[in-house]
Amino acid sequence: MSSSSASSSGEAIPRGTPIPIGEAEEHIAGLCLLNDWSARDIQAWEFQPLGPFLAKSFATTISPVVVTPEALAPFRIPQAERPDGDPRPLDYLVSTQRDAAFNITLEVLIETPGQKAASKPPHLLARSNARHLYWTVGQMITHHACGGCNLEPGDLIGTGTISAPTADGLGSLLELTRGGREPVTLASGEARRFLDDGDEVIMRASCAREGFISIGFGECRGQIVPELTSQTGR
């Protein structure tokens, strides 16, 4: 499951200005889905010593809907307890807010050319939930600004991959296939270790609670297209 994201709102926060944890959510205009595409072949080459660089900076897809904090209010939940032995967050990240997390169901699917030709529906790769985020959105906003980084209205901040603790909730194809060693078999009979040309990745999110209207985020959808070549064929 790739990133969800928070879009900032309100007035700009100049460089060098921290945002207290109690004020962090005042700077959130809403949440949407975000897929920060990864080129794993490039990443494997450049990871040492550069770390993720060009492999993570070439494309981003977002969902068509930004859901406001007011609309998400009925789906707030307490932040998950940290595992025993994990260090306590530093004081500037400790919030007194009781319902600092979100109960948002997340799904990632794949639709291949073979599935379309066989009239097969998209294949569900993983199902997770925003409750599994290690840090709340408010903590991310506060930490973003603590080192002096500015925040502008409309800035998009990704949470990172949201994986569930179970095998069916692993948030990326790299995790699901154990680094490409264990391919995923689709209903069309195809197998995938990594994405191929023509494959379409679909992310969905929704909130549901008895007594309240369900909310969707729209689909975050993007397709892998063949590499472009110049007129010389190089």
Side-chain angles (χ1 to χ4, degrees):
M1 200 69 50
S2 190
S3 312
S4 63
S5 64
S7 177
S8 67
S9 64
E11 297 182 359
I13 302 299
R15 282 180 293 180
T17 305
I19 300 174
I21 187 66
E23 301 174 12
E25 295 204 5
E26 298 174 14
H27 302 280
I28 299 174
L31 302 184
C32 67
L33 292 173
L34 180 149
N35 184 358
D36 56 334
W37 296 83
S38 301
R40 300 301 188 187
D41 50 352
I42 298 174
Q43 182 176 333
W45 173 82
E46 72 179 7
F47 190 80
Q48 299 292 341
L50 294 174
F53 193 59
L54 296 179
K56 297 287 291 185
S57 65
F58 64 95
T60 298
T61 305
I62 63 173
S63 58
V65 178
V66 175
V67 183
T68 65
E70 292 80 7
L72 290 170
F75 311 104
R76 302 296 297 253
I77 56 175
Q79 184 180 16
E81 294 290 334
R82 294 183 180 277
D84 292 340
D86 276 21
R88 178 183 182 275
L90 296 178
D91 289 343
Y92 76 98
L93 291 174
V94 176
S95 172
T96 59
Q97 182 178 351
R98 181 178 178 274
D99 296 331
F102 295 93
N103 182 15
I104 304 173
T105 299
L106 306 165
E107 294 181 338
V108 60
L109 307 96
I110 184 173
E111 187 170 27
T112 69
Q115 288 173 287
K116 293 178 182 178
S119 299
K120 299 290 186 181
H123 179 90
L124 179 66
L125 290 172
R127 179 178 287 111
S128 186
N129 193 291
R131 68 169 67 240
H132 299 303
L133 281 169
Y134 193 79
W135 302 100
T136 67
V137 176
Q139 287 173 321
M140 295 177 199
I141 296 291
T142 292
H143 187 65
H144 168 86
C146 77
C149 194
N150 64 326
L151 190 67
E152 298 281 349
D155 280 351
L156 202 61
I157 298 177
T159 64
T161 303
I162 307 175
S163 290
T166 55
D168 60 352
L170 297 178
S172 72
L173 200 56
L174 188 70
E175 293 177 89
L176 285 166
T177 64
R178 303 294 190 269
R181 295 185 298 274
E182 301 176 10
V184 174
T185 301
L186 310 180
S188 58
E190 301 169 282
R192 285 292 184 274
R193 289 182 171 85
F194 300 97
L195 296 173
D196 286 348
D197 288 346
D199 289 349
E200 196 163 8
V201 175
I202 306 163
M203 295 180 178
R204 298 170 180 166
S206 61
C207 302
R209 179 183 172 189
E210 187 175 355
F212 294 88
I213 297 176
S214 299
I215 292 178
F217 287 70
E219 289 186 345
C220 178
R221 181 186 287 257
Q223 187 176 34
I224 304 295
V225 298
E227 178 186 8
L228 297 177
T229 58
S230 67
Q231 293 181 352
T232 63
R234 295 180 181 177

